[in-house]
Amino acid sequence: NDFANAAKEEVAETRMRADTLIYDLRQCRNQISVLQSKVQDLQAMLDHEKAVSQQQIMNKDQEVTELHDKILIQLEEHEELLGVKLALDMEINAYRKMLEGEEQRFDLT
């Protein structure tokens, strides 16, 4: 009788432990499911942010390229204008020398 009662108690305790373990297992599985869902959501957000960032980088690269091209055009225009200025300066100097020469010629006569 004592042996039967001890066995029944042990079976009851084992069932309680098994029920507790099953409950814990279900809780862990639920928690895993929730965490997996969060991971998927975060991965989707990360992928979206990555795509947005890559697009922004491409836009900035395009902007830099356009600005670089504009700078090159302006540099060419500046060099062309500098050449024109130098030519005009030389022409002004030539006329100045001619004018000074004429002034000296009229002063001497």
Side-chain angles (χ1 to χ4, degrees):
N1 201 359
D2 286 337
F3 179 74
N5 286 338
K8 284 181 184 180
E9 268 186 49
E10 190 175 330
V11 168
E13 287 176 10
T14 303
R15 280 189 182 153
M16 282 181 53
R17 275 187 267 145
D19 289 345
T20 301
L21 289 174
I22 289 171
Y23 175 78
D24 289 347
L25 179 62
R26 285 184 184 147
Q27 289 296 97
C28 287
R29 285 182 178 163
N30 287 338
Q31 190 174 9
I32 287 171
S33 178
V34 167
L35 291 173
Q36 284 175 334
S37 177
K38 284 183 181 181
V39 166
Q40 288 175 346
D41 291 345
L42 290 172
Q43 186 63 48
M45 287 173 48
L46 179 64
D47 291 344
H48 174 73
E49 289 299 320
K50 183 178 177 182
V52 167
S53 295
Q54 286 175 338
Q55 185 60 46
Q56 289 174 338
I57 289 171
M58 287 174 46
N59 291 344
K60 289 296 177 185
D61 286 345
Q62 180 64 32
E63 203 175 312
V64 166
T65 299
E66 290 171 5
L67 288 173
H68 183 261
D69 292 345
K70 285 181 182 180
I71 289 171
L72 287 178
I73 290 169
Q74 287 182 349
L75 184 59
E76 289 173 6
E77 290 173 356
H78 181 271
E79 288 175 356
E80 183 180 327
L81 289 173
L82 187 59
V84 170
K85 179 195 177 295
L86 290 174
L88 289 172
D89 284 345
M90 288 172 52
E91 193 172 340
I92 289 170
N93 279 335
Y95 281 117
R96 182 176 290 129
K97 286 182 182 180
M98 286 175 29
L99 185 59
E100 288 172 357
E102 288 296 313
E103 285 176 353
Q104 287 177 358
R105 196 181 86 178
F106 282 122
D107 284 344
L108 294 175
T109 51

